[in-house]
Amino acid sequence: MDIYHLIREAYEAKENSYAPYSGFHVGAALLSSDGAIYRGCNIENAAYSPTNCAERTAFFKAVSEGVREFKAIAIAGDAQDYLAPCGVCRQVMAEFCDAEKFQIILARSLTDYKIFTLAELLPELFGPKSLQ
Ligand code: THU
């Protein structure tokens, strides 16, 4: 996996962020198991609650194209610090990803990043297996 490339894709995705209310721009680049990259940005709404995070935009784009298996996601935002995904996005990741293997790359710049597994960011998760 080319981490630098995935982070660069996340920063490029951020360019399309629609965030007129918060002014906080976020981009994500989701790597599927077959090597394709799906970009996402946050999309805000005047009614606020329909706002979609960058990570979920990337997931929903990929899933709507029939993709179901993922390796990693890079996230880049306006924040000075590493930008961690919100709880709702972590839950969406839990639906489609192997928590022990899926890598979440929090970028602070193109070369400054931290990597966590989904299991680290969402321990004891409720997922598809919980319903069996
Ligand atoms: N946001 C994301 O896109 N991803 C995150 O992980 C955290 C928050 C967006 C939602 C909203 O448009 C803005 O950032 C401020 O919360």
Side-chain angles (χ1 to χ4, degrees), residues 25-64:
H25 304 93
V26 185
L30 176 63
L31 178 66
S32 68
S33 294
D34 63 6
I37 292 174
Y38 296 84
R39 290 182 182 179
C41 62
N42 55 333
I43 304 169
E44 297 188 345
N45 190 282
Y48 293 4
S49 64
T51 291
N52 209 54
C53 289
E55 299 90 322
R56 271 177 290 146
T57 301
F59 266 92
F60 295 157
K61 279 174 68 180
V63 172
S64 68

Side-chain angles (χ1 to χ4, degrees), residues 2-131:
D2 184 342
I3 293 173
Y4 177 81
H5 179 63
L6 201 61
I7 293 174
R8 209 176 58 208
E9 290 276 336
Y11 276 106
E12 282 175 21
K14 186 165 83 82
E15 295 300 308
N16 289 328
S17 161
Y18 177 75
Y21 306 106
S22 72
F24 190 79
H25 304 93
V26 185
L30 176 63
L31 178 66
S32 68
S33 294
D34 63 6
I37 292 174
Y38 296 84
R39 290 182 182 179
C41 62
N42 55 333
I43 304 169
E44 297 188 345
N45 190 282
Y48 293 4
S49 64
T51 291
N52 209 54
C53 289
E55 299 90 322
R56 271 177 290 146
T57 301
F59 266 92
F60 295 157
K61 279 174 68 180
V63 172
S64 68
E65 297 292 326
V67 182
R68 297 287 187 272
E69 288 178 18
F70 303 97
K71 277 187 185 158
I73 191 168
I75 307 164
D78 279 345
Q80 302 267 310
D81 206 351
Y82 305 100
L83 179 65
C86 79
V88 174
C89 289
R90 294 178 200 203
Q91 185 63 31
V92 168
M93 292 173 194
E95 186 67 28
F96 298 104
C97 304
D98 180 335
E100 300 294 335
K101 290 189 184 146
F102 186 68
Q103 300 203 299
I104 302 171
I105 302 160
L106 315 183
R108 201 159 65 166
S109 75
L110 284 173
T111 52
D112 181 0
Y113 57 86
K114 278 185 188 172
I115 304 183
F116 296 93
T117 63
L118 178 58
E120 288 173 316
L121 295 190
L122 191 63
E124 302 301 328
L125 65 82
F126 183 88
K129 286 183 188 150
S130 312
L131 290 171

